[in-house]
Structures are given as C-alpha cells and as structure tokens.
C-alpha cells in the first residue's frame, strides 16, 4: 500500500508539473503576438518561466554577433547575471560548439568538463543544458539552463520544456529580424543599399534640425547627367553600374562620418556633419578628382554630374529640411549651368 501511495503521489506531482508547463507555455505563446519593440521583455519572461519549470537557479539567453565574431549575453539569471552585455569570442567554449553544430549541448558536471574556461563565477556550476536558437537554418543564439553545487538528474521532460521555450524565443527573434529587414527596406534604396528619401529625412531630423538649435553641417545635392543615354546605348545594367559607382565614390570620398543617400533615379543627397565651407569645398574637389579619374578610365560611360550644397550656418534661423533642399538645389542648377557653359 505504501508503495502504491508513493507511486500515486509521484504521478500526481508529474501531472501537476506537466499542467503547469502547459499553462506557462500557452501564456508564453501569447508573447509572440506582441510588437517586436517588446521583444526584450518577452525574452526575459520566457527565460524566467522556463527556468522556473525545470527548477534551474541560473540560465541565460545569449546571441551571436557574426560580424563582430562575438557572443553576448542579453538576458540572464543567477550566476550568469553578472555577465549581461559582456562579449565573449563566439568561436570558443561551449557557445562555439553550439554555433558550429546547431545541436543541443549537455554537460553533466562542468567542474570536470575538459574544455571549461577559468572564469571564477562558473566554479560552482554542475549541469548545464545549452540549446541553439535558430533563425531558419542559421544559429543565432543560445538558450541555457544551469545548476550549481550538486550534479542533478535531468529528466527528459525538463529537456523538452527547455526545447519548447527555446523554440518560442527563436520565433520572437525571427520576428525581430523580419522587422529589421522590413525597416531596412523602407529606409534604403534597393539598388545601392544606401538610405533612401525616408532614411534621409530621418537623418536630417537628427543631425541638422534638433531642438530648434542650429548645428554646423552641410547638405550636398548631386544630380547625374546623361544616364538615359547610357541606358539606351549600353543597357540598364550599365546604367545601374554607373549609379552604384557614383554612390561608392561619394561614400569613399566623404568618409564614414558622412551620410550618403540616393533619392531615386539619378539624384544623391549627402549630409556632412560639423562641416564648414572650407571642408565642403575640399570634399567637392576630391569628389571631382575621383569622378574624373573614373571617367577617364571608362570613356564610353563617363560619370557626368552637377553638385550643389547648403550650409546650415548660412541661415539666420535654424533651417527646415525644405530650406536646406531648396538652397542645395539652387546651387546645383548654378553648377549645372556653369558646366554646360
């Protein structure tokens, strides 16, 4: 009888754990419908619920930054909390193994793990489960749960719980990336990859007209000529090549601090912050020299253009975006007429 009662009690506890897991999982699924702007809060909730269900005192969600070759903890609990926003090399340690394999990694006792790192904050860690977070087929992060001091028996249902919540975290991260892609498409030109008109307007609000204070800066208006003739004689792919080349020249000459955008067609706008007239004239001279060098090397498809600029410091009052555009446009037509004559 005692054995039967013990078995009944174990089944009851197991049933309660499964019911709790299902309730929290269903509640967490509602987070997926929230706006992408709330993704950080959603990931925090998912991590907390998952760790609670498997009785793990510590855990984290970390993301890979492939361009920087780094692995960064964005959300953490317990012994990993002190490492939030700290960057680790992405190719080494357990996170490197998860990234390379795309598979779950389980270490029963980290204290005896042959490839452990020497960080003292991990000295008491025993079990750790690391699951890959994926965006499509690509591994984008890690969902981890860990225990301390004593080696714990990990049940298959615990692993399944963590896997379910890691899948939810992956869905949220996919939505965030999709939102970023949509935003990039909305604010960038598809041909050159440069910011478009909407991206330029957003930049101007930040750089040249802020809090009703005049900021020292310049706006360039570049209008390419004879692009139609290139398209008609050599095809639109050649015209696209010339447009891309012109954008690259502007970016290279004006430097990384300049904001170069394509309005569409044959028009470019560039914003140069903290620039006075001498700096602008120097930039224009370098642009002309680089364009002439390209045109001499490609006499069949030379780049012909006119450029005008407006300095925010030339206005008595803080200029509006329309005033800056208008002044640069007027100076561009002056330059165009000068070139023709």
């Amino acid at each position: 009888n005692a054995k039967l009662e013990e078995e009944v009690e174990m089944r009851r506890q197991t049933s309660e754990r499964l019911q709790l897991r299902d309730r929290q999982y269903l509640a967490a699924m509602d987070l997926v419908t929230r706006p992408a702007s709330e993704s950080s809060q959603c990931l925090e909730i998912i991590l907390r619920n998952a760790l609670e269900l498997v009785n793990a005192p510590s855990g984290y969600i970390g993301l890979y930054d492939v361009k920087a070759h780094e692995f960064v903890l964005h959300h953490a609990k317990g012994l990993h909390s002190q490492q939030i926003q700290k960057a680790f090399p992405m190719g080494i340690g357990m996170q490197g193994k998860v990234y390379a394999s795309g598979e779950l990694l389980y270490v029963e006792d980290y204290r005896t793990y042959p490839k452990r790192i020497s960080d003292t904050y991990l000295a008491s860690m025993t079990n750790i489960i690391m699951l890959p977070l994926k965006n499509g087929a690509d591994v984008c992060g890690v969902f981890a749960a860990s225990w301390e001091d004593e080696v714990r028996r990990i049940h298959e249902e615990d692993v399944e719980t963590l896997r379910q919540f890691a899948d939810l975290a992956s869905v949220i991260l996919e939505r965030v990336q999709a939102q970023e892609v949509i935003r990039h498409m909305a604010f960038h030109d598809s041909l050159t990859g440069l910011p478009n008109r909407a991206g330029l307007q957003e930049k101007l609000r930040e750089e040249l007209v802020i809090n009703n204070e005049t900021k020292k800066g310049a706006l360039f208006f570049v209008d390419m000529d004879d692009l139609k003739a290139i398209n008609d004689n050599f095809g639109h792919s050649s015209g696209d090549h010339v447009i891309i080349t012109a954008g690259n020249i502007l970016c290279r000459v004006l430097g990384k601090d300049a904001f170069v955008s394509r309005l569409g067609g044959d028009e470019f706008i560039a914003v140069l912050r903290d620039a006075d007239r001498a700096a602008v004239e120097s930039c224009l001279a370098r642009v002309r020299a680089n364009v002439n060098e390209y045109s001499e090397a490609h006499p069949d498809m030379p780049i012909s253009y006119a450029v005008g600029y407006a300095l925010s410091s030339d206005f008595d009052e803080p200029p509006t975006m329309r005033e800056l555009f208008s002044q640069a446009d007027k100076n561009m037509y002056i330059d165009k007429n000068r070139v023709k004559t």
Side-chain angles (χ1 to χ4, degrees):
N1 290 337
K3 186 174 182 180
L4 179 61
E5 290 177 359
E6 182 181 350
E7 184 176 345
V8 170
E9 177 62 18
M10 288 180 60
R11 289 186 178 184
R12 184 189 65 80
Q13 291 178 3
T14 300
S15 178
E16 287 181 351
R17 286 200 305 270
L18 292 174
Q19 289 177 15
L20 176 61
R21 185 187 73 181
D22 290 342
R23 286 198 302 270
Q24 288 193 306
Y25 179 71
L26 290 173
M29 284 188 66
D30 290 338
L31 300 175
V32 176
T33 63
R34 293 190 182 182
S37 58
E38 298 181 16
S39 61
S40 181
Q41 179 185 1
C42 295
L43 291 173
E44 189 76 33
I45 294 172
I46 286 174
L47 176 65
R48 185 176 68 245
N49 286 346
L51 297 181
E52 178 184 342
L53 285 169
V54 299
N55 294 317
S58 302
Y60 63 82
I61 291 177
L63 302 179
Y64 298 102
D65 184 341
V66 178
K67 290 183 179 179
H69 300 286
E70 293 178 343
F71 177 76
V72 181
L73 269 62
H74 289 265
H75 307 277
K77 181 183 175 184
L79 61 85
H80 305 287
S81 298
Q82 58 186 296
Q83 305 300 317
I84 289 180
Q85 297 305 320
K86 182 177 179 180
F88 300 87
M90 65 175 285
I92 66 171
M94 291 187 294
Q95 70 265 14
K97 192 170 182 179
V98 173
Y99 183 79
S101 68
E103 301 292 339
L104 177 149
L105 175 63
Y106 172 60
V107 174
E108 185 176 45
D109 191 349
Y110 187 73
R111 296 171 301 184
T112 60
Y113 185 58
K115 296 182 179 180
R116 64 174 294 168
I117 58 177
S118 59
D119 284 6
T120 55
Y121 81 95
L122 296 177
S124 62
M125 189 170 74
T126 54
N127 310 73
I128 181 167
I129 300 175
M130 303 176 69
L131 296 104
L133 299 176
K134 294 187 177 182
N135 186 349
D138 299 326
V139 178
C140 63
V142 166
F143 192 103
S146 66
W147 291 261
E148 302 156 47
D149 299 326
E150 295 182 2
V151 175
R152 170 192 166 100
R153 181 185 175 191
I154 305 298
H155 298 280
E156 183 60 34
E157 65 187 60
D158 292 334
V159 177
E160 182 59 27
T161 295
L162 291 173
R163 197 185 301 277
Q164 286 182 330
F165 280 82
D167 288 343
L168 282 179
S170 293
V171 171
I172 288 176
L173 291 170
E174 286 179 351
R175 290 183 65 244
V176 170
Q177 186 177 51
Q179 191 70 27
E180 291 174 352
V181 170
I182 292 171
R183 178 177 172 78
H184 187 274
M185 292 173 62
F187 288 91
H188 289 78
D189 170 54
S190 59
L191 176 62
T192 62
L194 295 172
N196 57 15
R197 184 183 296 272
L200 170 65
Q201 290 175 341
E202 187 177 68
K203 185 66 174 180
L204 285 175
R205 292 189 191 99
E206 297 173 2
E207 296 292 344
L208 297 180
V209 188
I210 299 179
N211 297 328
N212 227 17
E213 297 178 2
T214 302
K215 285 202 160 192
K216 186 166 69 172
L219 183 145
F220 293 87
F221 197 137
V222 180
D223 184 28
M224 298 176 63
D225 296 322
D226 303 327
L227 195 60
K228 184 178 184 301
I230 293 176
N231 288 332
D232 292 342
N233 293 326
F234 300 99
H236 286 275
S237 61
S238 296
D240 289 347
H241 173 75
V242 170
I243 291 172
I244 293 170
T245 300
N248 290 339
I249 289 174
L250 289 172
C251 291
R252 183 175 68 251
V253 172
L254 298 181
K256 63 180 181 179
D257 292 332
F259 183 86
V260 180
S261 61
R262 181 190 178 209
L263 297 191
D266 52 8
E267 296 177 339
F268 291 87
I269 292 284
V271 178
L272 193 62
R273 64 184 307 180
D274 298 327
D276 56 18
R277 196 175 305 277
V280 169
E281 293 293 346
S282 175
C283 285
L284 287 178
R286 295 199 303 274
V287 168
R288 295 187 192 283
N290 277 263
V291 169
N292 288 339
E293 181 180 347
Y294 171 84
S295 297
E296 289 174 2
H298 303 82
D300 293 336
M301 291 186 295
I303 295 178
S304 176
Y305 70 99
V307 60
Y309 67 84
L311 287 168
S312 57
S313 58
D314 283 346
F315 294 82
D316 295 331
E317 298 292 333
T320 64
M321 287 184 287
R322 179 172 293 184
E323 288 172 333
L324 288 168
F325 272 101
S326 177
Q327 185 62 46
D329 190 42
K330 289 178 183 178
N331 290 335
M332 183 270 296
Y333 276 102
I334 292 173
D335 185 57
K336 189 183 290 282
N337 292 329
R338 180 186 61 78
V339 171
K340 287 183 178 179
T341 57

